[in-house]
């Protein structure tokens, strides 16, 4: 069993209204040091395999096909831990 | 300037319909090894300060007040890098 983390973030230059709203709200709450916020997605996946290399390739495929929108988003995959089979 | 990453995840035991839907969709696409998905939020914040200890305390405060719902969510804060003042 492999546990993987996937971070999906907007590409630089892509407008992020959600991040802007969070930034404004934090500023309004008194957190004036917040100069910018970018919002993204964080996914934890449990994979029923022990082959880390194959899992990495499959995760790339998942990100390209479903988990991210390659036109406007980047993704990062981390294989966090490997538990006993 | 400090760059911080905040991960907000649902607490264990809290139902995650979004994660369930992503899992089902991945399974339907042929990724049968996906045994579970948990969906969360990922935020990148730029903070206009150089005091890492103070920033950490302020980030805890932000998470408790706006960025997460402490009843059903956990958060993790990482101060990623510190750039020149």
């Amino acid at each position: 069993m492999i546990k993987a983390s996937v971070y999906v973030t907007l590409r630089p230059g892509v407008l992020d209204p959600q991040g802007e709203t969070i930034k404004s709200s934090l500023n309004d709450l008194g957190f004036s040091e917040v100069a910018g916020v970018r919002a993204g997605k964080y996914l934890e996946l449990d994979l029923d395999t022990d082959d880390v290399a194959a899992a990495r390739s499959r995760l790339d495929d998942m990100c390209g096909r479903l988990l991210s929108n390659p036109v406007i988003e980047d993704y990062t995959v981390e294989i966090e831990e490997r538990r006993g089979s």
Side-chain angles (χ1 to χ4, degrees), chain A:
Chain A
M1 184 72 88
I2 285 171
K3 187 174 175 186
S5 297
V6 175
Y7 312 88
V8 180
T9 51
L10 286 169
R11 288 180 180 242
V14 176
L15 287 178
D16 180 4
Q18 187 186 0
E20 279 298 310
T21 304
I22 294 169
K23 174 193 173 292
S24 298
S25 300
L26 286 171
N27 290 157
D28 290 347
L29 282 171
F31 299 107
S32 55
E33 73 270 41
V34 179
V37 178
R38 299 285 283 174
K41 286 177 286 186
Y42 171 63
L43 301 167
E44 288 177 347
L45 290 90
D46 292 317
L47 303 181
D48 204 3
T49 174
D50 289 314
D51 184 339
V52 172
R56 199 170 286 279
S57 155
R58 295 278 281 178
L59 284 161
D60 272 337
D61 204 11
M62 291 179 211
C63 287
R65 290 179 66 190
L66 184 78
L67 303 180
S68 77
N69 176 349
V71 178
I72 57 168
E73 291 173 328
D74 288 323
Y75 63 86
T76 306
V77 173
E78 276 175 18
I79 300 214
E80 281 195 343
E81 59 190 77
R82 194 174 162 179
R83 289 177 289 213
S85 63

mmCIF file of all heavy atoms in Angstrom, chain A residues 3-32:
data_model
loop_
_atom_site.group_PDB
_atom_site.id
_atom_site.type_symbol
_atom_site.label_atom_id
_atom_site.label_comp_id
_atom_site.label_asym_id
_atom_site.label_seq_id
_atom_site.Cartn_x
_atom_site.Cartn_y
_atom_site.Cartn_z
ATOM 1 N N LYS A 3 0.980 5.468 -0.045
ATOM 2 C CA LYS A 3 0.219 6.679 0.196
ATOM 3 C C LYS A 3 0.867 7.823 -0.573
ATOM 4 O O LYS A 3 2.068 8.058 -0.432
ATOM 5 C CB LYS A 3 0.197 6.988 1.696
ATOM 6 C CG LYS A 3 -0.709 8.130 2.062
ATOM 7 C CD LYS A 3 -0.803 8.302 3.560
ATOM 8 C CE LYS A 3 -1.628 9.527 3.902
ATOM 9 N NZ LYS A 3 -1.617 9.792 5.355
ATOM 10 N N ALA A 4 0.091 8.498 -1.377
ATOM 11 C CA ALA A 4 0.638 9.578 -2.202
ATOM 12 C C ALA A 4 -0.095 10.880 -1.916
ATOM 13 O O ALA A 4 -1.282 10.880 -1.594
ATOM 14 C CB ALA A 4 0.504 9.231 -3.679
ATOM 15 N N SER A 5 0.630 11.978 -2.030
ATOM 16 C CA SER A 5 0.031 13.305 -1.915
ATOM 17 C C SER A 5 0.155 14.015 -3.243
ATOM 18 O O SER A 5 1.209 13.971 -3.874
ATOM 19 C CB SER A 5 0.764 14.127 -0.848
ATOM 20 O OG SER A 5 0.619 13.533 0.408
ATOM 21 N N VAL A 6 -0.916 14.634 -3.652
ATOM 22 C CA VAL A 6 -0.918 15.386 -4.903
ATOM 23 C C VAL A 6 -1.321 16.830 -4.591
ATOM 24 O O VAL A 6 -2.347 17.061 -3.946
ATOM 25 C CB VAL A 6 -1.907 14.774 -5.921
ATOM 26 C CG1 VAL A 6 -1.985 15.640 -7.184
ATOM 27 C CG2 VAL A 6 -1.496 13.354 -6.284
ATOM 28 N N TYR A 7 -0.486 17.767 -5.012
ATOM 29 C CA TYR A 7 -0.788 19.187 -4.859
ATOM 30 C C TYR A 7 -1.079 19.743 -6.233
ATOM 31 O O TYR A 7 -0.271 19.590 -7.139
ATOM 32 C CB TYR A 7 0.417 19.959 -4.307
ATOM 33 C CG TYR A 7 1.043 19.320 -3.113
ATOM 34 C CD1 TYR A 7 2.039 18.361 -3.258
ATOM 35 C CD2 TYR A 7 0.634 19.650 -1.838
ATOM 36 C CE1 TYR A 7 2.612 17.759 -2.164
ATOM 37 C CE2 TYR A 7 1.196 19.048 -0.735
ATOM 38 C CZ TYR A 7 2.188 18.104 -0.905
ATOM 39 O OH TYR A 7 2.748 17.500 0.189
ATOM 40 N N VAL A 8 -2.208 20.369 -6.375
ATOM 41 C CA VAL A 8 -2.570 20.984 -7.653
ATOM 42 C C VAL A 8 -2.644 22.485 -7.426
ATOM 43 O O VAL A 8 -3.387 22.964 -6.567
ATOM 44 C CB VAL A 8 -3.923 20.451 -8.159
ATOM 45 C CG1 VAL A 8 -4.278 21.097 -9.498
ATOM 46 C CG2 VAL A 8 -3.880 18.934 -8.299
ATOM 47 N N THR A 9 -1.845 23.221 -8.183
ATOM 48 C CA THR A 9 -1.799 24.676 -8.019
ATOM 49 C C THR A 9 -2.045 25.345 -9.367
ATOM 50 O O THR A 9 -1.762 24.774 -10.413
ATOM 51 C CB THR A 9 -0.420 25.126 -7.502
ATOM 52 O OG1 THR A 9 0.586 24.557 -8.335
ATOM 53 C CG2 THR A 9 -0.213 24.679 -6.080
ATOM 54 N N LEU A 10 -2.549 26.547 -9.318
ATOM 55 C CA LEU A 10 -2.712 27.319 -10.549
ATOM 56 C C LEU A 10 -1.345 27.730 -11.086
ATOM 57 O O LEU A 10 -0.436 28.043 -10.315
ATOM 58 C CB LEU A 10 -3.560 28.564 -10.281
ATOM 59 C CG LEU A 10 -5.045 28.289 -10.077
ATOM 60 C CD1 LEU A 10 -5.736 29.549 -9.562
ATOM 61 C CD2 LEU A 10 -5.702 27.838 -11.369
ATOM 62 N N ARG A 11 -1.185 27.720 -12.388
ATOM 63 C CA ARG A 11 0.062 28.163 -12.986
ATOM 64 C C ARG A 11 0.277 29.643 -12.715
ATOM 65 O O ARG A 11 -0.683 30.407 -12.585
ATOM 66 C CB ARG A 11 0.021 27.949 -14.503
ATOM 67 C CG ARG A 11 0.125 26.499 -14.896
ATOM 68 C CD ARG A 11 0.074 26.342 -16.417
ATOM 69 N NE ARG A 11 0.168 24.940 -16.746
ATOM 70 C CZ ARG A 11 1.158 24.393 -17.458
ATOM 71 N NH1 ARG A 11 2.107 25.149 -17.960
ATOM 72 N NH2 ARG A 11 1.198 23.093 -17.675
ATOM 73 N N PRO A 12 1.545 30.047 -12.655
ATOM 74 C CA PRO A 12 1.822 31.479 -12.469
ATOM 75 C C PRO A 12 1.155 32.284 -13.579
ATOM 76 O O PRO A 12 1.168 31.875 -14.734
ATOM 77 C CB PRO A 12 3.351 31.544 -12.581
ATOM 78 C CG PRO A 12 3.831 30.173 -12.250
ATOM 79 C CD PRO A 12 2.766 29.230 -12.727
ATOM 80 N N GLY A 13 0.556 33.383 -13.207
ATOM 81 C CA GLY A 13 -0.095 34.234 -14.210
ATOM 82 C C GLY A 13 -1.579 33.972 -14.358
ATOM 83 O O GLY A 13 -2.306 34.826 -14.857
ATOM 84 N N VAL A 14 -2.036 32.798 -13.922
ATOM 85 C CA VAL A 14 -3.466 32.507 -14.004
ATOM 86 C C VAL A 14 -4.169 33.207 -12.837
ATOM 87 O O VAL A 14 -3.736 33.090 -11.692
ATOM 88 C CB VAL A 14 -3.727 30.984 -13.943
ATOM 89 C CG1 VAL A 14 -5.218 30.697 -13.933
ATOM 90 C CG2 VAL A 14 -3.043 30.281 -15.103
ATOM 91 N N LEU A 15 -5.210 33.929 -13.135
ATOM 92 C CA LEU A 15 -5.937 34.658 -12.093
ATOM 93 C C LEU A 15 -6.514 33.696 -11.069
ATOM 94 O O LEU A 15 -6.996 32.617 -11.412
ATOM 95 C CB LEU A 15 -7.074 35.478 -12.712
ATOM 96 C CG LEU A 15 -6.644 36.724 -13.486
ATOM 97 C CD1 LEU A 15 -7.869 37.409 -14.090
ATOM 98 C CD2 LEU A 15 -5.902 37.698 -12.585
ATOM 99 N N ASP A 16 -6.471 34.101 -9.797
ATOM 100 C CA ASP A 16 -6.929 33.231 -8.714
ATOM 101 C C ASP A 16 -7.900 33.997 -7.819
ATOM 102 O O ASP A 16 -7.529 34.513 -6.768
ATOM 103 C CB ASP A 16 -5.710 32.757 -7.916
ATOM 104 C CG ASP A 16 -6.079 31.840 -6.770
ATOM 105 O OD1 ASP A 16 -7.271 31.503 -6.639
ATOM 106 O OD2 ASP A 16 -5.187 31.470 -6.002
ATOM 107 N N PRO A 17 -9.161 34.105 -8.236
ATOM 108 C CA PRO A 17 -10.124 34.888 -7.446
ATOM 109 C C PRO A 17 -10.324 34.326 -6.031
ATOM 110 O O PRO A 17 -10.540 35.088 -5.090
ATOM 111 C CB PRO A 17 -11.415 34.804 -8.269
ATOM 112 C CG PRO A 17 -11.178 33.845 -9.370
ATOM 113 C CD PRO A 17 -9.716 33.553 -9.472
ATOM 114 N N GLN A 18 -10.237 32.999 -5.891
ATOM 115 C CA GLN A 18 -10.399 32.410 -4.552
ATOM 116 C C GLN A 18 -9.265 32.872 -3.628
ATOM 117 O O GLN A 18 -9.504 33.296 -2.489
ATOM 118 C CB GLN A 18 -10.398 30.878 -4.680
ATOM 119 C CG GLN A 18 -10.732 30.168 -3.372
ATOM 120 C CD GLN A 18 -10.583 28.647 -3.465
ATOM 121 O OE1 GLN A 18 -10.230 28.104 -4.522
ATOM 122 N NE2 GLN A 18 -10.832 27.964 -2.370
ATOM 123 N N GLY A 19 -8.040 32.820 -4.147
ATOM 124 C CA GLY A 19 -6.894 33.275 -3.359
ATOM 125 C C GLY A 19 -7.009 34.750 -3.025
ATOM 126 O O GLY A 19 -6.705 35.174 -1.897
ATOM 127 N N GLU A 20 -7.454 35.554 -3.986
ATOM 128 C CA GLU A 20 -7.612 36.990 -3.754
ATOM 129 C C GLU A 20 -8.619 37.259 -2.639
ATOM 130 O O GLU A 20 -8.425 38.138 -1.801
ATOM 131 C CB GLU A 20 -8.082 37.684 -5.044
ATOM 132 C CG GLU A 20 -6.975 37.985 -6.029
ATOM 133 C CD GLU A 20 -5.931 38.936 -5.446
ATOM 134 O OE1 GLU A 20 -6.320 39.985 -4.914
ATOM 135 O OE2 GLU A 20 -4.740 38.597 -5.498
ATOM 136 N N THR A 21 -9.706 36.493 -2.669
ATOM 137 C CA THR A 21 -10.748 36.673 -1.644
ATOM 138 C C THR A 21 -10.219 36.304 -0.265
ATOM 139 O O THR A 21 -10.484 36.990 0.731
ATOM 140 C CB THR A 21 -11.969 35.798 -1.991
ATOM 141 O OG1 THR A 21 -12.411 36.129 -3.297
ATOM 142 C CG2 THR A 21 -13.086 36.015 -0.995
ATOM 143 N N ILE A 22 -9.460 35.212 -0.195
ATOM 144 C CA ILE A 22 -8.887 34.799 1.093
ATOM 145 C C ILE A 22 -7.919 35.867 1.593
ATOM 146 O O ILE A 22 -7.923 36.228 2.771
ATOM 147 C CB ILE A 22 -8.185 33.432 0.946
ATOM 148 C CG1 ILE A 22 -9.214 32.342 0.635
ATOM 149 C CG2 ILE A 22 -7.412 33.088 2.214
ATOM 150 C CD1 ILE A 22 -8.608 31.010 0.217
ATOM 151 N N LYS A 23 -7.100 36.388 0.683
ATOM 152 C CA LYS A 23 -6.154 37.450 1.068
ATOM 153 C C LYS A 23 -6.901 38.660 1.636
ATOM 154 O O LYS A 23 -6.557 39.178 2.703
ATOM 155 C CB LYS A 23 -5.315 37.877 -0.133
ATOM 156 C CG LYS A 23 -4.419 39.067 0.160
ATOM 157 C CD LYS A 23 -3.827 39.666 -1.103
ATOM 158 C CE LYS A 23 -3.074 40.952 -0.822
ATOM 159 N NZ LYS A 23 -3.926 42.072 -0.414
ATOM 160 N N SER A 24 -7.942 39.105 0.934
ATOM 161 C CA SER A 24 -8.700 40.273 1.408
ATOM 162 C C SER A 24 -9.313 40.002 2.775
ATOM 163 O O SER A 24 -9.301 40.863 3.660
ATOM 164 C CB SER A 24 -9.818 40.612 0.426
ATOM 165 O OG SER A 24 -9.291 40.938 -0.821
ATOM 166 N N SER A 25 -9.854 38.787 2.942
ATOM 167 C CA SER A 25 -10.484 38.467 4.224
ATOM 168 C C SER A 25 -9.459 38.457 5.344
ATOM 169 O O SER A 25 -9.734 38.930 6.454
ATOM 170 C CB SER A 25 -11.170 37.099 4.138
ATOM 171 O OG SER A 25 -12.166 37.119 3.138
ATOM 172 N N LEU A 26 -8.273 37.900 5.078
ATOM 173 C CA LEU A 26 -7.229 37.889 6.108
ATOM 174 C C LEU A 26 -6.800 39.314 6.446
ATOM 175 O O LEU A 26 -6.635 39.663 7.628
ATOM 176 C CB LEU A 26 -6.026 37.058 5.630
ATOM 177 C CG LEU A 26 -6.237 35.543 5.621
ATOM 178 C CD1 LEU A 26 -5.068 34.845 4.918
ATOM 179 C CD2 LEU A 26 -6.381 34.982 7.042
ATOM 180 N N ASN A 27 -6.638 40.159 5.430
ATOM 181 C CA ASN A 27 -6.285 41.555 5.671
ATOM 182 C C ASN A 27 -7.365 42.227 6.527
ATOM 183 O O ASN A 27 -7.056 42.946 7.485
ATOM 184 C CB ASN A 27 -6.114 42.309 4.351
ATOM 185 C CG ASN A 27 -4.878 41.885 3.555
ATOM 186 O OD1 ASN A 27 -4.823 42.065 2.362
ATOM 187 N ND2 ASN A 27 -3.882 41.308 4.206
ATOM 188 N N ASP A 28 -8.631 41.969 6.198
ATOM 189 C CA ASP A 28 -9.738 42.579 6.943
ATOM 190 C C ASP A 28 -9.750 42.118 8.399
ATOM 191 O O ASP A 28 -10.196 42.846 9.292
ATOM 192 C CB ASP A 28 -11.081 42.226 6.292
ATOM 193 C CG ASP A 28 -11.268 42.913 4.944
ATOM 194 O OD1 ASP A 28 -10.483 43.842 4.647
ATOM 195 O OD2 ASP A 28 -12.176 42.528 4.193
ATOM 196 N N LEU A 29 -9.276 40.886 8.636
ATOM 197 C CA LEU A 29 -9.246 40.363 10.001
ATOM 198 C C LEU A 29 -8.052 40.900 10.793
ATOM 199 O O LEU A 29 -7.870 40.555 11.959
ATOM 200 C CB LEU A 29 -9.187 38.833 9.976
ATOM 201 C CG LEU A 29 -10.497 38.106 9.688
ATOM 202 C CD1 LEU A 29 -10.239 36.613 9.483
ATOM 203 C CD2 LEU A 29 -11.493 38.296 10.833
ATOM 204 N N GLY A 30 -7.215 41.696 10.144
ATOM 205 C CA GLY A 30 -6.087 42.278 10.849
ATOM 206 C C GLY A 30 -4.747 41.653 10.504
ATOM 207 O O GLY A 30 -3.714 42.067 11.037
ATOM 208 N N PHE A 31 -4.764 40.661 9.631
ATOM 209 C CA PHE A 31 -3.492 40.041 9.230
ATOM 210 C C PHE A 31 -2.929 40.828 8.046
ATOM 211 O O PHE A 31 -2.936 40.373 6.905
ATOM 212 C CB PHE A 31 -3.711 38.573 8.863
ATOM 213 C CG PHE A 31 -4.244 37.744 10.005
ATOM 214 C CD1 PHE A 31 -5.566 37.313 10.015
ATOM 215 C CD2 PHE A 31 -3.423 37.409 11.065
ATOM 216 C CE1 PHE A 31 -6.061 36.555 11.069
ATOM 217 C CE2 PHE A 31 -3.907 36.655 12.126
ATOM 218 C CZ PHE A 31 -5.224 36.229 12.128
ATOM 219 N N SER A 32 -2.427 42.024 8.376
ATOM 220 C CA SER A 32 -2.012 42.934 7.320
ATOM 221 C C SER A 32 -0.726 42.493 6.637
ATOM 222 O O SER A 32 -0.383 43.017 5.575
ATOM 223 C CB SER A 32 -1.840 44.333 7.906
ATOM 224 O OG SER A 32 -0.941 44.268 9.002
#
